Amino acid sequence: MPKRMFVMMVVALLTLMTAAPVLAAFPEKEVQIIVPYAAGGATDLIFRALAASSEKYLGKAVVIVNRPGGGGAVGATEGAQAKPDGYTLTAVITPITILPHQVKTAFTYRDFAPIINVVDDPSMFLVRANAPWKTTKEFIDYAKTHPDMITVGNSGAGGGVHLVALAFERAAGVKFNHIPFAGGGPSVTALLGGHINAVSVSPPEGINHVQAGKLRIIALFADERFELFRDVPTVKEQGIDFTMGMWRGLAAPKGTPAAVIRTLHDAFKKGMDDPVFKKNAHDMSVKLFYLGPEAFAKRMAEDDIRFGKLVAEIKKK
């Protein structure tokens, strides 16, 4: 055997021997999930529940770290630029395919390695229970006669639910006054305090307040009614052909080893299938929707094109 070939074989063997234990040992410490929004919002609540149910399957603690700001851009940037070793994940939601089309960002969806999609929820508008509007039609009729007078909160300018509100404006032929907050939680708090007229959110944001009778769903952008709120019709049932929502999943920085992605996927899929998590999701009116790494990557790419076109159309107005 030529000396050069022998040396190459030895180097390859040593590389394999040193690399294999690293992958086989994953995870050796806690895994953190960056949530790019304030505590108490939909993304925060969902992934806190998923983290709690997945720890036993991963074998290490899963810690939530909130990084609000910029409609999700602050946390997404940190997550995309984290070391690709599987220990820093990001709760990615629809806005990562929206924000880069609206403003200059340090990331796109291509900077992430998808792990698993967990939720695909319709968005909705909430108002206080004592609001003067009882139906979507009354709400829209008032908005048409009072342009810019209805204040609608969102989880950050340029974010997903902000775009939902902008798109609904176009579909309904109205104009709202959009008020950004650091996350869904703070926007719901502002609504409860009477500081805004309505809020654009996705479950589970505000659901507990709807159940308590403090808030009301005034516009539901779904194909079908919520199981827990069968008396609330969709906007399509009320004559406006409009549906839109948010998907929410987990991703690692681009370049994370495939074996690590698979380990994470398997653990979080078991956590997603856990009866306790399923009950939590049901109680929050959250619609679970599983996608594996490949299918999730395809969904991201498709929505990047879809929302890129929508943002361009809205900007032309």
Side-chain angles (χ1 to χ4, degrees):
M1 178 184 297
K3 182 177 180 182
R4 182 179 179 184
M5 183 177 294
F6 176 77
V7 171
M8 291 176 64
M9 288 178 63
V10 171
V11 171
L13 181 60
L14 289 173
T15 300
L16 181 62
M17 291 174 65
T18 56
V22 174
L23 295 179
F26 180 85
E28 296 182 307
K29 58 182 181 180
E30 70 178 32
V31 171
Q32 72 172 14
I33 297 175
I34 295 174
V35 171
Y37 302 95
T43 306
D44 179 71
L45 293 172
I46 289 166
F47 286 100
R48 283 186 187 278
L50 182 64
S53 69
S54 301
E55 289 180 336
K56 60 185 175 182
Y57 303 111
L58 190 61
K60 295 293 180 181
V62 181
V63 180
I64 300 297
V65 179
N66 297 94
R67 292 285 189 268
V74 173
T77 299
E78 182 178 336
Q81 296 176 354
K83 186 177 180 180
D85 56 7
Y87 290 105
T88 301
L89 312 180
T90 303
V92 291
I93 68 175
T94 307
I96 72 163
T97 61
I98 298 174
L99 277 171
H101 296 289
Q102 295 182 310
V103 296
K104 185 176 181 179
T105 61
F107 68 90
T108 70
Y109 78 96
R110 296 182 181 86
D111 294 306
F112 294 93
I115 297 170
I116 185 172
N117 186 69
V118 181
V119 168
D120 195 351
D121 264 330
S123 294
M124 58 188 176
F125 277 9
L126 302 178
V127 296
R128 290 187 303 282
N130 62 356
W133 319 287
K134 305 302 179 185
T135 66
T136 300
K137 184 179 185 306
E138 291 178 357
F139 183 73
I140 293 303
D141 286 347
Y142 184 89
K144 285 181 177 179
T145 56
H146 300 79
D148 287 314
M149 290 300 292
I150 292 183
T151 50
V152 179
N154 59 65
S155 58
V161 291
H162 181 207
L163 184 65
V164 168
L166 292 172
F168 183 55
E169 278 185 340
R170 298 175 72 242
V174 297
K175 188 72 175 70
F176 301 121
N177 182 4
H178 302 274
I179 311 297
F181 291 86
S187 67
V188 171
T189 299
L191 177 62
L192 288 167
H195 305 295
I196 52 178
N197 300 125
V199 65
S200 177
V201 293
S202 287
E205 288 165 346
I207 289 296
N208 59 328
H209 298 298
V210 175
Q211 292 171 320
K214 296 179 180 179
L215 299 180
R216 183 155 37 83
I217 302 172
I218 195 67
L220 176 61
F221 310 133
D223 288 317
E224 57 186 28
R225 299 187 183 193
F226 281 142
E227 183 179 343
L228 294 181
F229 306 103
R230 285 296 180 184
D231 60 329
V232 179
T234 67
V235 296
K236 291 184 72 172
E237 292 179 80
Q238 299 179 75
I240 302 174
D241 188 14
F242 182 81
T243 59
M244 199 167 178
M246 298 286 111
W247 44 255
R248 307 178 199 274
L250 284 174
K254 181 180 179 181
T256 302
V260 171
I261 294 292
R262 179 54 54 187
T263 296
L264 290 165
H265 166 272
D266 293 350
F268 285 110
K269 179 61 167 67
K270 290 177 181 176
M272 184 178 171
D273 292 337
D274 192 278
V276 174
F277 178 72
K278 284 188 172 183
K279 184 181 185 305
N280 284 337
H282 176 270
D283 292 345
M284 294 187 292
S285 285
V286 167
K287 181 182 176 182
L288 298 181
F289 186 77
Y290 164 76
L291 291 175
E294 295 78 17
F296 193 14
K298 181 180 179 183
R299 177 69 180 273
M300 286 184 182
E302 291 173 346
D303 276 4
D304 181 68
I305 296 172
R306 173 192 175 199
F307 290 118
K309 292 178 180 178
L310 180 58
V311 169
E313 291 173 2
I314 290 175
K315 285 183 176 180
K316 289 179 182 179
K317 288 186 65 178

